[in-house]
Amino acid sequence: MTPNAVIDRLTAENLELRTRLEEAEDALRAIREGEVDAVIVSGTQGDRVFSLMETENLHRLMVETMNEAGLAISPDGLLLYANDRATALLKRGRTQLLGHPILELAAPHDSERLRHLLEASRHGIADDRVVFLAADGAAVPMHLWASRLDRPAGAIICLVGTDLSRLEADRALVAQLEEQQQALSASRAEALELMAQAFAAREQAARAAHELRESDRRKDAFLATLAHELRNPLAPIRNALEILSLKDVAAPAAVEAREMMDRQLAHLVRLVDDLLEVSRITHGKIELRREAVELASVIDSAVETVRPLIDAASQRLVVNLPGEPLWLEGDPTRLSQIFGNLLNNAAKYSDAGQEIQVEARTVDGGVLVSVQDTGAGIPAELLPRIFDMFSQGHPKPSIGRSGLGIGLSLVNKLVELHGGRVEARSAGPGRGSELVVFLPLLARQGAAPPTEHRVVAASATAAETSRILVVDDNRDAAKSLAMLLELKGAEIHVSYDGPSALAALEQDPVDAVILDIGMPGMNGLEVARRIRARPEYRRIALIAMTGFGEQWDRQRSLDAGFDRHLVKPISFDSLDAVLRDLRDRDRPPHPLHRDPATIEARAAPLLHDLAQPLSSAGCYALAARALAAGSGADTARLRDALSGIDQQIRLAGTIMERLRETLRSSANPAIDDPSPGGDSTPPGGRGKGDALPAPDPV
């Protein structure tokens, strides 16, 4: 082929290739610009048609239906596209979104964050958390991914956002649960701490209650001991007054002095009794011994009690009572205690030389008694509490005249027990005070009820012809009581301790034993047990006369074998009534005291005494065997040894019989007084008085 022909062919092929290239470029342009709906590709297998619209629609469908928000914006921030998820989250239609700046949709505090995210997308994919505001103002947190897409028609920024609302809500819920868990743990720890504190407080309260009970027990024991110690010296005083009443004293001053001493002793005894009545006073359980009593005598007794205090302070006491007698029904001692406490209170809070007035007038079936002073007065704020226990309403008592603050509280309770009332009045500090008591009068007023005058007649007492053993470690009390009983005609023996009392009974039995309890060494309870353990003493009347007067003291006395429990000091009338009751009553022999401790105490000396002859008998037996075994034994000395053995065995037999009798009588009191024809011999044993079996010859 010639060169020209080759050139022509190459030129024709070049033109054909250029034409096809132009067609391909036109096709690509048409595809890019959306002018082509499908592409037909021919091949060995035939023509194949590819639809470009279906692919685009598939991509569009994927973007529209995805669960993330899809947005497209221009470089200057205008919204060009928003999928359904974006419109749903922002609660705005496309017409409200497209063409509007995206920055207007961001929360004010996140606008700058969104701006930085869009700027960062220029250099690649960027992401951040941005909060948008929905149409209703609700916050819509999203995690945005931003990427820049360059196109011939112009660049766009594509945004894909994941809704964080549920995630953050879940996180908030988890955080809240964690916080609640922490709070619950803290509460549990606090509850455990509170429980521990509660247990500790309960244990502390239990300890405090125990300490309080123990303190209360020690207080009761102290008061009981104090009352006992106070009653002991009162007993000989009472006995001395009883002795004086037997003497023929004609001098009026002596009679008046004795009667005054008798009244004041009775008052002192009642005050001592009050030491053991603190709880009863607090609960209003004071026992009243009611009788008809004239108001004037009650006031006189109260004045007599407080007169030394008033005289010592050079104070003036004015008493104005109605001319006619006013009769009350009440306890004379307690009524006197009421007005005595009021007068004592007035004297304490009045200065030297000031006046105290007592006035009485009848009103509404009762009597108003006023005790008025011109002393320290009572502040108004303390008036409502003036009758509380341990309350001292006055600013300050006179020097050396303070008290415990129970006087007015006791007055209030005693007045209430008598059916009355008491009221305190005062114009204020430094203006004095007035305490007014209202008491009901007896329904029948008039002549005074007959007053019994006690005349003691020696021939009318039960002590006459009685043999009485008085046992008391207080020698004054024992001697004065013995002297009084001797004046009444009794045969008296006196002992000052337990062992000497038991020894005196061995020498000369008596009809009655008046026995103190609180003696040193062997106390009265032990003496009574030992007396009751002896059959021959079972008809002796045992009378406890002691300073211990509580219920448990009385029960212990009865348990020890006493017939009566009397509290010192006791009047002779009361003692004589007890002696008469015990003498006149057809009293069966007192049952033997079966206290195992007492039986053991009596059996122990017998066993000790039994051991001595048995030990001696053993020594004699050894000596006899030694003499008999030796060659040329001294027969006289052998006889002496055998005689000693026999003597010691007999002595041991006697002690054994006493021991057997003691145990038998303690176990069965009736064995000492068998019924006629009865058999008191125990089965298989020896009867009372049977001899011991003869000892085996040595």
Side-chain angles (χ1 to χ4, degrees), residues 277 279-288 334 413 417:
E277 292 181 354
S279 62
R280 293 170 59 191
I281 291 173
T282 303
H283 295 87
K285 296 181 179 179
I286 304 174
E287 180 183 356
L288 297 181
R334 296 299 187 181
K413 289 178 170 57
L417 288 175

Side-chain angles (χ1 to χ4, degrees), residues 291-553:
E291 61 182 71
V293 58
E294 188 183 2
L295 176 63
S297 65
V298 170
I299 299 297
D300 289 343
S301 177
V303 170
E304 183 180 282
T305 302
V306 78
R307 174 63 71 180
L309 179 62
I310 293 176
D311 291 344
S314 300
Q315 295 166 345
R316 298 186 303 276
L317 177 61
V318 178
V319 179
N320 295 318
L321 301 179
E324 70 278 6
L326 300 177
W327 292 93
L328 309 169
E329 183 182 13
D331 187 322
T333 303
R334 296 299 187 181
L335 290 172
S336 175
Q337 190 175 2
I338 290 173
F339 296 108
N341 281 356
L342 294 181
L343 286 171
N344 181 75
N345 193 74
K348 282 197 306 183
Y349 295 99
S350 297
D351 293 332
Q354 290 186 326
E355 184 176 276
I356 301 171
Q357 294 184 359
V358 179
E359 294 184 355
R361 60 186 177 88
T362 58
V363 56
D364 297 333
V367 59
L368 281 176
V369 182
S370 167
V371 178
Q372 187 173 5
D373 64 73
T374 56
I378 307 172
E381 65 272 13
L382 296 181
L383 277 174
R385 304 194 305 272
I386 195 67
F387 296 109
D388 292 346
M389 183 69 77
F390 307 118
S391 174
Q392 292 182 321
H394 295 275
K396 61 178 181 125
S398 300
I399 296 176
R401 298 182 185 175
S402 61
L404 296 176
I406 65 173
L408 292 183
S409 176
L410 182 57
V411 165
N412 185 44
K413 289 178 170 57
L414 290 175
V415 170
E416 289 178 351
L417 288 175
H418 283 86
R421 62 182 182 273
V422 61
E423 179 184 355
R425 304 168 183 170
S426 177
R431 304 182 65 180
S433 61
E434 179 183 16
L435 286 102
V436 181
V437 175
F438 173 82
L439 292 171
L441 292 171
L442 273 176
R444 295 182 179 179
Q445 295 287 318
T451 303
E452 296 183 0
H453 178 67
R454 181 171 63 91
V455 178
V456 180
S459 60
T461 66
E464 186 178 2
T465 71
S466 297
R467 293 173 301 164
I468 301 174
L469 173 62
V470 177
V471 186
D472 198 328
D473 63 308
N474 187 326
R475 292 178 176 264
D476 288 338
K479 289 179 179 179
S480 59
L481 180 58
M483 185 184 304
L484 176 61
L485 292 172
E486 284 178 342
L487 289 174
K488 299 294 186 178
E491 179 183 341
I492 300 299
H493 302 275
V494 179
S495 296
Y496 302 113
D497 55 60
S500 64
L502 296 175
L505 285 179
E506 293 280 359
Q507 297 296 326
D508 191 3
V510 296
D511 301 315
V513 178
I514 301 175
L515 185 59
D516 182 36
I517 297 295
M519 296 186 296
M522 184 186 297
N523 61 30
L525 298 175
E526 180 61 25
V527 174
R529 293 190 189 101
R530 297 199 180 194
I531 292 175
R532 288 301 180 215
R534 296 284 293 272
E536 60 271 29
Y537 297 157
R538 290 174 62 191
R539 291 186 177 273
I540 294 178
L542 291 184
I543 302 172
M545 184 175 290
T546 175
F548 295 114
E550 291 301 292
Q551 182 59 38
W552 58 82
D553 298 318

